[in-house]
Amino acid sequence: MPDPVQPALAIAVLTVSDTRGPDEDTSGDLLVDRLDKAGHRLAERRIVRDDVYEIRAVVSAWIADPGVNVVLSTGGTGFAGRDSTPEALVPLFDKTIDGFGELFRQVSYTEIGSSTVQSRAIAGLANATLIFAMPGSTNACRTAWDKILANQFDANFRPCNFAELILEGHNTMETP
């Protein structure tokens, strides 16, 4: 029996950067390209400064929008002075997805060695919207998409995936 057709998720992409504009946003470009090739739909794309309140405002609006299933954030997850994406997003989470950051660092270790210890990649669920925060490098976004997110956004991936939970509206995705 053939696999069912892959339903499209509505995915918003946020680049957090004080230095990148649309022409330099190769990480955002990669994520948009990957989600498009996987059959998903770009809900919206934005670039904001590395500021807790700007990040939180954009992501809060997407969380409140029933037309957005997933938020992919790139940038602001390191230890530089202004890196503040985790601080902006964690208060918004109803539940954390601890396995994402853990698995991202494990997979990254094979690529960048102990430098992965400086990654503060995180993920969570807020108002039935999945949120994934990745480092700003294009290679880090490629690793996250190719080795983790592509499968989790594929409703046919077994034994489990987030796409199926989102699209079928299982109670497990609803938050208090």
Side-chain angles (χ1 to χ4, degrees):
M1 179 175 200
D3 286 336
V5 173
Q6 167 68 29
L9 297 173
I11 302 175
V13 175
L14 176 66
T15 299
V16 176
S17 178
D18 290 336
T19 59
R20 292 184 193 173
D23 293 337
E24 301 85 24
D25 185 18
T26 57
S27 297
D29 291 343
L30 178 125
L31 292 170
V32 170
D33 181 62
R34 290 292 204 272
L35 73 88
D36 182 58
K37 286 180 179 171
H40 301 298
R41 182 179 61 80
L42 179 64
E44 188 174 348
R45 181 176 177 182
R46 299 272 307 270
I47 298 174
V48 299
R49 290 181 309 124
D50 204 333
D51 176 84
V52 168
Y53 300 103
E54 286 188 43
I55 297 165
R56 202 175 285 163
V58 171
V59 175
S60 292
W62 287 339
I63 291 168
D65 182 345
V68 176
N69 304 120
V70 178
V71 173
L72 299 179
S73 172
T74 175
T77 61
F79 281 95
R82 289 194 38 90
D83 287 335
S84 58
T85 300
E87 290 76 17
L89 298 180
V90 168
L92 302 177
F93 293 168
D94 298 319
K95 295 180 181 179
T96 59
I97 305 170
D98 296 323
F100 174 74
E102 294 164 357
L103 183 56
F104 177 80
R105 284 180 284 280
Q106 179 186 2
V107 171
S108 294
Y109 182 79
T110 64
E111 298 173 7
I112 62 171
S114 66
S115 293
T116 194
V117 75
Q118 294 190 31
S119 169
R120 297 189 306 142
I122 59 166
L125 176 70
N127 193 31
T129 303
L130 292 166
I131 303 161
F132 296 88
M134 298 159 274
S137 85
T138 305
N139 284 339
C141 290
R142 182 179 296 109
T143 297
W145 182 274
D146 293 351
K147 304 215 173 147
I148 304 170
L149 299 175
N151 286 335
Q152 286 300 301
F153 297 162
D154 180 349
N156 301 308
F157 183 76
R158 296 291 174 249
C160 60
N161 61 76
F162 283 122
E164 187 174 58
L165 294 173
I166 292 172
L167 296 167
E168 292 182 9
H170 286 109
N171 290 335
T172 56
M173 292 300 290
E174 294 178 11
T175 52

